Amino acid sequence: MAYKYITDNNLYKKQTYMYSEYKGMLFFKEYLDSRQAFLEQNEFEKTDNAARENINNPVQKNLLDLKKSMESGKYDKETVYLINAYTKSFEVRKRVYTEYDDSWKPLSNEDFSDIKNYLLFADCLLLAYRNLKCMKYFNCLLKVVDTLLSIQDQIDCQWKRHFSYIIRQELDIVYEIAIENGIRLGDSE
């Protein structure tokens, strides 16, 4: 059985994680295999600077500013508000749009297929989790990575390099959490 959360294009066939059945270590094996398969097919050196170039829409500018703010250690009220707003919007819609109104609803005809939006959002979620240790950011990151894996054939080489970095960071966190909780991942059944 394959990891079922990346079998179709998640941008159009949204996943319903809430209703997932418990599968124990089999689930972790499928999850880990899905990430390792991507990394093995896309061998790149670690990098995290690809997403800094060519801003294409208001959300990218906003997410890049948010990322820079978090990288500098700034976690003020506005920073936390923004990461929470993006997280909530993604959790509800399972998409990152190119522009939102003041109540965080996507503007009527806004696009949600720009891969760079998802990569920048993943960067922000990684930083938020690492610095705030709030599991909702990591939980959302898992879903963003699932979405990107479901459309990996649409990601060009430059962005696959950056996506590899994100997956490595995600896996590092999974292993850290497993160790902290006495869970043995990998070859255990």
Side-chain angles (χ1 to χ4, degrees):
M1 178 172 231
Y3 183 70
K4 73 177 191 174
Y5 299 107
I6 60 170
T7 55
D8 292 311
N9 182 330
N10 290 5
L11 294 177
Y12 294 96
K13 185 174 181 197
K14 296 177 188 176
Q15 296 293 336
T16 54
Y17 296 91
M18 187 181 340
Y19 301 106
S20 303
E21 69 177 285
Y22 177 72
K23 291 186 179 182
M25 290 309 292
L26 176 60
F27 170 80
F28 281 110
K29 181 178 180 349
E30 291 170 356
Y31 159 81
L32 292 170
D33 288 349
S34 74
R35 273 48 178 180
Q36 288 297 38
F38 179 86
L39 293 174
E40 288 169 10
Q41 292 170 4
N42 300 281
E43 286 296 322
F44 300 112
E45 291 182 30
K46 289 185 179 180
T47 182
D48 72 341
N49 60 7
R52 296 183 183 270
E53 305 165 11
N54 302 327
I55 302 301
N56 298 325
N57 60 62
V59 164
Q60 284 177 13
K61 180 179 181 344
N62 191 254
L63 286 169
L64 186 56
D65 290 345
L66 181 60
K67 179 182 175 189
K68 288 177 183 177
S69 181
M70 290 190 289
E71 286 174 333
S72 72
K74 183 178 177 188
Y75 285 87
D76 60 9
K77 189 176 180 179
E78 178 68 13
T79 300
V80 173
Y81 167 78
L82 286 172
I83 192 64
N84 284 340
Y86 278 110
T87 300
K88 182 178 178 182
S89 178
F90 183 83
E91 289 290 4
V92 169
R93 295 175 184 88
K94 302 297 185 268
R95 295 174 174 161
V96 180
Y97 289 83
T98 58
E99 195 168 5
Y100 296 89
D101 66 17
D102 291 340
S103 63
W104 285 93
K105 292 182 178 149
L107 296 178
S108 59
N109 293 319
E110 288 307 311
D111 182 27
F112 56 83
S113 63
D114 192 322
I115 291 167
K116 190 172 174 186
N117 291 346
Y118 296 86
L119 293 167
L120 282 167
F121 182 45
D123 288 336
C124 291
L125 290 166
L126 279 166
L127 287 163
Y129 174 76
R130 288 279 189 205
N131 289 286
L132 301 173
K133 296 297 184 197
C134 180
M135 287 303 291
K136 75 177 173 183
Y137 304 128
F138 185 63
N139 182 41
C140 189
L141 174 69
L142 294 168
K143 295 169 188 171
V144 172
V145 171
D146 284 351
T147 297
L148 287 165
L149 283 171
S150 79
I151 57 169
Q152 64 184 288
D153 58 331
Q154 298 173 35
I155 304 173
D156 70 27
C157 187
Q158 174 191 12
W159 301 118
K160 281 186 179 178
R161 179 181 306 267
H162 187 72
F163 187 38
S164 294
Y165 167 81
I166 291 168
I167 289 175
R168 285 188 188 98
Q169 296 301 304
E170 177 198 58
L171 289 172
D172 286 349
I173 294 169
V174 167
Y175 282 107
E176 288 168 14
I177 292 169
I179 290 167
E180 289 169 6
N181 290 284
I183 300 169
R184 200 169 138 232
L185 296 178
D187 47 46
S188 61
E189 293 291 322

